[in-house]
Amino acid sequence: MAYVGGGPGVLDGVASSEPEVSDGLKSFGAVLKALREEAGLTQEEFAPQVRYSVHAVAKLEQGKRFPSVRFIERAGTVLEAPRVLKAAARHLTRRQGLASWFVQWAGIEEEAISLYAYECRAIPGLLQPEAYIRAIFERRLPPVTEEQLERETAARLERQQLLTQKPNTAFSFVIEQALLERRVGGVGVTRALIDHLLEVGKLRNVEIQLMPLQQEDHAGVDGQMYLAETPDNQWIGYTEGQRSSTLITAPKDVSVLLQRYGKLRAQALDCRATVSLLEHMRGAL
């Protein structure tokens, strides 16, 4: 997604995959660490109280992860400093390397216990290997600088850690076969993409389904969609346009998306058939 699909975190061959650290994130992290230490808590003691991993808390204190609204609320309560933390986060309007209009969904993504995606424009960002990410960014108009390319690639790769860091979150992806047939970036990039999809598809919490080129009954004619189930078991929808996005929260509208996504899963190839098709496509390259 632009940022989820062709784009909705990466690294060059040798550099770190960590996103660039902004002054705002570093400042928030420093405040968080100072409050935690003042409360007499270690990261290991603090993490379970805010329902985050120790690794995630460390990233937040280092300024390498964007704090979600839910985290700020929980941490403020635990540390008895809600106003201080909210003030520290007030100017964090965007995450490094992510479009400003995508940041809110990125936060929802991190908290989701179920995440569904249907893409007809580009491979979902959470499933893009580095070669594919770079192929997309290198062809973007207006052209990006080398610094922008590295920063945005790193941000997308960092987001992909959700797939392994959240083993209890169910991820479902329905992807149009045509996106692979397009061969963005050439044969080498497409081969790397297929290999990546086959590997990620082995994860117990990830389901990848291809929508075949020919499908007379197709529920996705209105375009791509993303759906997330919050820890409170509420569903939120998300769609993207040209340099814009829409968050869908009205229950009746979210219900429509859930119905359509359910139909898309039934119309697409199942996971085993998808693996067979991917292997066949790779062999034909």
Side-chain angles (χ1 to χ4, degrees):
M1 337 166 154
Y3 288 85
V4 175
V10 173
L11 74 177
D12 57 40
V14 188
S16 166
S17 62
E18 296 293 353
E20 202 170 283
V21 179
S22 72
D23 289 340
L25 287 175
K26 283 195 293 186
S27 296
F28 177 84
V31 170
L32 175 63
K33 181 178 180 180
L35 289 172
R36 174 182 59 76
E37 291 178 343
E38 187 175 336
L41 297 172
T42 64
Q43 288 182 345
E44 290 74 15
E45 292 167 337
F46 177 63
Q49 295 188 52
V50 291
R51 290 178 246 168
Y52 267 57
S53 68
V54 175
H55 175 77
V57 169
K59 285 289 188 67
L60 284 159
E61 292 188 354
Q62 293 163 12
K64 295 178 179 179
R65 179 168 179 172
F66 196 93
S68 68
V69 173
R70 188 178 296 273
F71 173 81
I72 294 168
E73 291 175 349
R74 288 176 184 164
T77 299
V78 171
L79 300 175
E80 299 182 358
R83 294 180 63 183
V84 175
L85 272 187
K86 286 180 181 178
R90 187 167 296 139
H91 300 294
L92 296 179
T93 57
R94 61 177 294 141
R95 191 172 184 167
Q96 286 291 306
L98 299 183
S100 57
W101 41 264
F102 175 68
V103 171
Q104 188 174 12
W105 179 254
I108 292 170
E109 241 182 12
E110 291 182 355
E111 298 292 321
I113 60 174
S114 299
L115 189 70
Y116 298 164
Y118 164 65
E119 265 297 349
C120 54
R121 305 171 309 159
I123 301 300
L126 290 175
L127 297 179
Q128 295 176 4
E130 182 180 350
Y132 185 88
I133 296 170
R134 290 180 178 277
I136 288 176
F137 287 153
E138 286 169 355
R139 290 160 176 76
R140 179 186 291 169
L141 293 174
V144 298
T145 65
E146 192 65 26
E147 181 183 352
Q148 287 175 308
L149 187 148
E150 294 301 327
R151 183 172 63 248
E152 295 181 13
T153 299
R156 187 162 299 180
L157 285 180
E158 194 269 343
R159 281 184 49 239
Q160 295 176 3
Q161 295 178 26
L162 287 175
L163 298 177
T164 53
Q165 290 180 351
K166 302 194 67 178
N168 294 321
T169 293
F171 294 90
S172 169
F173 301 91
V174 176
I175 306 166
E176 291 290 338
Q177 179 185 344
L179 299 180
L180 293 159
E181 299 287 359
R182 187 173 297 153
R183 298 187 182 182
V184 171
V187 171
V189 172
T190 302
R191 184 178 294 114
L193 172 59
I194 292 175
D195 287 344
H196 186 68
L197 292 176
L198 288 169
E199 192 61 30
V200 173
K202 295 176 183 177
L203 295 174
R204 199 176 295 114
N205 61 326
V206 175
E207 289 188 353
I208 299 174
Q209 297 177 254
L210 287 184
M211 180 67 74
L213 290 175
Q214 295 183 6
Q215 174 54 273
E216 294 183 5
D217 298 315
H218 196 307
V221 293
D222 282 350
Q224 53 87 251
M225 70 180 86
Y226 288 78
L227 288 152
E229 182 184 9
T230 72
D232 299 325
N233 304 115
Q234 295 181 332
W235 285 89
I236 299 172
Y238 176 83
T239 60
E240 284 185 354
Q242 294 282 345
R243 301 180 65 81
S244 63
S245 65
T246 301
L247 209 59
I248 301 168
T249 57
K252 65 177 182 179
D253 294 328
V254 175
S255 175
V256 170
L257 296 187
L258 283 168
Q259 290 179 54
R260 292 177 179 176
Y261 191 78
K263 181 66 73 173
L264 283 166
R265 292 179 82 171
Q267 294 166 340
L269 299 177
D270 64 27
C271 295
R272 290 185 180 182
T274 291
V275 169
S276 296
L277 179 55
L278 286 171
E279 291 175 341
H280 174 77
M281 293 175 69
R282 194 190 188 289
L285 290 174

